[in-house]
Amino acid sequence: MSNERHRDLPAAVAEETVAEIVSRTFTSIPRSDQRRWGEMYMRGLLSVEGKKTMRALAAGAGGGVEQSLYQFITKSPWHTAPVRRELARLLQRTAPRAWVVQPLVIEKVGRHSVGVERQWVSQIGKFVNCQRAMGVWLTSDRASCPVDWRLALPDSWAGEPGLRRRASIPEDVGSCPPEQCAIDAVARMAEEWQLPGRPVVMDLRESDAIRVCSELLRRRTPFVVRVDPAVLRRGSGDLLRALSRRCLPVEWYDHTAEALRATSVGTTPVRLPVPQVQGGDGADRADLVLLGAWTHPNRRTPGEYWLSNLTRTRVGTLYRTAALARKAERDMAEIADPLGLRDFEGRSFRGWHHHMTMVSLAQAATVLSTPAAEPAPPAALRLPPVAARRPAGHRTLGASAA
């Protein structure tokens, strides 16, 4: 074990940071040997180049290590939730400004890995054999890191006893569409982990945006979500004119291009037809704000539409919060993927969650090793009450639009 403890880490990762993460997040893992295997696995993710197979992670650490790592990831009964909760608390020092929901598609060759099904994936533009998951990332302009993961279990797995038994799926885990997985993860972070609240940033262009917003409103969760223009339905011409009248230039940092940009962003108040969100007071509308961003200078219509229940927040702050989705997307491609985000070869539900937790810890080691001398991120968005009073001039989204 001593050789593995001193395996060289990448120059960008500090030994003291790895030691702190291990001491803070592994406290809920009861056995010392399990904690040792966990540290070895995390160090392997950080130091091994290429695909993160068990053999590659165990290379050079002595006989029997590969089997022990396999046992720790796929069989050991340690729980991921306490580890992820402590990781989220540790990452508060990065001053996260948003909880960014990031979808993940993991293509697979066979059909034996838990949750695998042939399904249409719009990001790829074809049907693929894959697992689908949602991650929630604590994100600021300086750093982002996933802290919770949910596997979107298809009906074909949830309702088949043989498949459930083979993958050791817990009895209380059922079929879960990706959007609901994200809502459940966000709810746990807010209610059980009691993290400082931040706006949820999520792309709902291919989802039932009305239903998801309704659920977030019911849970009193602040959000800034991207929607398809089709969700506006009738009255879209009026909405476009209203957005154009209240249009301002907004400066924001584009993490995809690493450049400061200026975009014209318009806003208008709207109402969402969801009777259940305000309980028994008889109200049948929720007050929201619609943002339209003219991301393509030569187009007459906005290239992006965002909905938010933060109706008292300045348009610049809202759009810069929405833009943090690009930070999480970039870090997933440049940090998490090279750390083995899609490399788990096991088939069990427990093993998948164990591996994803270790990848999150490895990414945190990279994030928290970043020198503090970098420019400080903007102050976190102060959250006003999400059930604001109804101002005049609202337009209604959905079937009842004017």
Side-chain angles (χ1 to χ4, degrees):
M1 185 63 200
S2 60
N3 290 338
E4 178 63 30
R5 280 188 180 279
H6 296 287
R7 170 183 275 181
D8 289 340
L9 294 170
V13 180
E15 283 283 351
E16 57 269 24
T17 301
V18 172
E20 181 185 16
I21 290 172
V22 169
S23 65
R24 284 279 301 272
T25 65
F26 286 1
T27 54
S28 62
I29 300 178
R31 289 167 39 185
S32 60
D33 62 321
Q34 291 177 321
R35 296 193 292 272
R36 288 197 303 272
W37 297 127
E39 180 177 355
M40 179 184 289
Y41 197 91
M42 184 176 71
R43 285 174 170 267
L45 294 175
L46 287 163
S47 59
V48 170
E49 296 185 2
K51 192 173 179 63
K52 307 300 191 293
T53 64
M54 288 290 180
R55 179 167 297 181
L57 297 178
V65 169
E66 182 178 345
Q67 183 59 34
S68 296
L69 288 179
Y70 175 84
Q71 179 74 20
F72 170 75
I73 290 295
T74 63
K75 304 287 187 181
S76 295
W78 57 277
H79 298 291
T80 59
V83 177
R84 296 176 182 181
R85 180 190 64 225
E86 290 306 312
L87 173 63
R89 292 174 177 174
L90 185 62
L91 286 166
Q92 294 306 308
R93 70 177 58 168
T94 66
R97 293 175 49 217
W99 296 354
V100 176
V101 174
Q102 185 69 28
L104 175 66
V105 175
I106 306 173
E107 294 189 58
K108 293 288 185 179
V109 175
R111 297 290 186 93
H112 299 292
S113 297
V114 61
V116 165
E117 186 174 70
R118 185 168 177 79
Q119 49 196 316
W120 173 260
V121 179
S122 60
Q123 299 98 309
I124 303 174
K126 61 181 180 179
F127 284 94
V128 294
N129 201 55
C130 65
Q131 296 168 315
R132 303 191 76 160
M134 287 290 197
V136 184
W137 296 56
L138 300 188
T139 308
S140 69
D141 283 300
R142 185 174 65 85
S144 72
C145 185
V147 295
D148 205 9
W149 292 100
R150 296 296 172 106
L151 185 63
L153 207 61
D155 291 335
S156 59
W157 278 82
E160 176 50 53
L163 292 177
R164 295 184 66 95
R165 188 164 51 250
R166 189 177 74 195
S168 301
I169 299 172
E171 292 183 1
D172 61 342
V173 174
S175 174
C176 185
E179 300 81 10
Q180 188 60 49
C181 289
I183 292 171
D184 293 344
V186 165
R188 177 164 75 170
M189 290 167 58
E191 298 165 13
E192 297 181 24
W193 297 2
Q194 297 186 332
L195 298 180
R198 295 293 181 264
V200 173
V201 177
M202 188 174 178
D203 191 337
L204 298 179
R205 283 178 293 173
E206 298 181 7
S207 308
D208 185 346
I210 300 296
R211 185 191 66 81
V212 174
C213 289
S214 300
E215 180 67 13
L216 293 173
L217 284 162
R218 186 181 68 81
R219 295 176 180 271
R220 298 184 179 275
T221 301
F223 61 80
V224 186
V225 297
R226 190 170 180 180
V227 296
D228 190 279
V231 78
L232 307 178
R233 301 183 189 175
R234 297 196 306 271
S236 57
D238 290 340
L239 287 171
L240 181 58
R241 285 189 287 273
L243 290 171
S244 300
R245 283 195 298 269
R246 302 182 60 181
C247 196
L248 296 171
V250 172
E251 284 194 342
W252 57 284
Y253 189 77
D254 184 353
H255 293 278
T256 303
E258 291 190 322
L260 189 65
R261 298 192 183 280
T263 297
S264 295
V265 181
T267 62
T268 188
V270 293
R271 290 177 186 160
L272 192 67
V274 280
Q276 69 271 33
V277 298
Q278 295 191 30
D281 62 0
D284 61 355
R285 298 290 183 266
D287 295 339
L288 303 178
V289 60
L290 175 69
L291 280 72
W294 274 261
T295 51
H296 305 289
N298 297 326
R299 287 180 55 179
R300 296 178 59 188
T301 58
E304 297 178 2
Y305 292 90
W306 298 82
L307 277 177
S308 178
N309 56 345
L310 298 172
T311 57
R312 300 178 182 177
T313 302
R314 292 181 177 179
V315 58
T317 303
L318 283 177
Y319 190 67
R320 282 188 285 270
T321 299
L324 290 173
R326 290 174 170 84
K327 173 64 174 173
E329 182 178 6
R330 177 179 175 175
D331 284 359
M332 186 168 77
E334 296 188 356
I335 302 177
D337 267 336
L339 288 172
L341 188 66
R342 304 169 206 260
D343 288 352
F344 179 62
E345 297 177 331
R347 300 177 177 180
S348 72
F349 183 87
R350 174 185 293 168
W352 186 88
H353 277 280
H354 283 175
H355 173 78
M356 300 302 281
T357 301
M358 301 308 296
V359 171
S360 294
L361 296 179
Q363 178 152 345
T366 302
V367 167
L368 294 175
S369 295
T370 302
E374 289 191 2
L381 174 58
R382 294 184 179 272
L383 299 179
V386 296
R389 66 179 179 85
R390 180 180 304 169
H394 279 70
R395 290 165 176 82
T396 302
L397 301 182
S400 58

